[in-house]
Amino acid sequence: GDDGDFGAFVLLRRLRLLPKNDGYAYVSDLDAFFSSLYNYYYMRGLGSIIGKGVVELASLFFTLWISIILFAYIDWTGLRTCTDEHTCRDSFTESYLVHSPFSSGTLLGNSWIVIYCLLFSTYGFFCLVQYGHTVMASLECKVFLEEVLGVSDRD
């Protein structure tokens, strides 16, 4: 049919990395496209979007890692009895670190740690997937701005 009659779709060039028909694509969700375009503009380009996402993911997984160490591998009962030089043990690593955290402790405490790890890891996985979608949308915005509109990141 007629190339000018696309209904509710907007004709956009696709990424060069992917083989496509005639090099064009249809955007069916204009709201999502304009939101990602605004996010790309607001964050001032792809580099800062990638950097922000990497820092957020690193801090999220560092928080998970450090909290697992604090919950599972520190003997808090022994540390509570440590009030001065005479009540504390000599070596922290030998006395207050738990070498196999799930072999000792209560079932409730171990269950709490496992549930926490599962919930936090699931949240981290979803954040990682969302980051991938954000980077792909921003890459499409970059291509759209540079190739279709002729606007570079520096402009």
Side-chain angles (χ1 to χ4, degrees), residues 20-154:
K20 303 296 176 192
N21 296 336
D22 299 327
Y24 291 94
Y26 301 109
V27 174
S28 61
D29 189 356
L30 283 176
D31 187 44
F33 175 73
F34 287 137
S35 293
S36 63
L37 195 61
Y38 175 75
N39 185 45
Y40 182 85
Y41 170 76
Y42 181 76
M43 294 295 296
R44 291 182 166 72
L46 187 61
S48 60
I49 290 171
I50 290 173
K52 177 182 178 261
V54 166
V55 168
E56 286 177 352
L57 288 172
S59 65
L60 177 73
F61 286 108
F62 175 77
T63 303
L64 173 63
W65 175 76
I66 197 75
S67 59
I68 288 172
I69 288 175
L70 290 174
F71 286 150
Y73 289 96
I74 303 291
D75 179 17
W76 292 103
T77 307
L79 278 175
R80 264 186 261 140
T81 61
C82 178
T83 56
D84 59 9
E85 292 177 6
H86 302 293
T87 58
C88 294
R89 300 178 200 148
D90 292 333
S91 173
F92 180 83
T93 56
E94 293 176 9
S95 303
Y96 298 114
L97 286 182
V98 178
H99 297 287
S100 55
F102 296 109
S103 64
S104 62
T106 64
L107 179 66
L108 181 65
N110 290 339
S111 300
W112 168 251
I113 293 169
V114 169
I115 290 171
Y116 175 81
C117 290
L118 287 174
L119 287 175
F120 210 116
S121 298
T122 303
Y123 175 69
F125 174 75
F126 282 118
C127 287
L128 192 62
V129 169
Q130 179 63 37
Y131 172 69
H133 287 290
T134 301
V135 169
M136 287 306 298
S138 298
L139 191 58
E140 290 176 359
C141 289
K142 177 180 176 62
V143 169
F144 174 73
L145 286 171
E146 288 180 355
E147 292 185 3
V148 176
L149 299 181
V151 179
S152 69
D153 280 346
R154 295 181 183 175

Side-chain angles (χ1 to χ4, degrees), residues 7-23:
F9 295 101
V10 173
L11 196 60
L12 298 175
R13 295 172 60 110
R14 282 206 182 180
L15 296 172
R16 287 187 230 161
L17 306 172
L18 305 173
K20 303 296 176 192
N21 296 336
D22 299 327

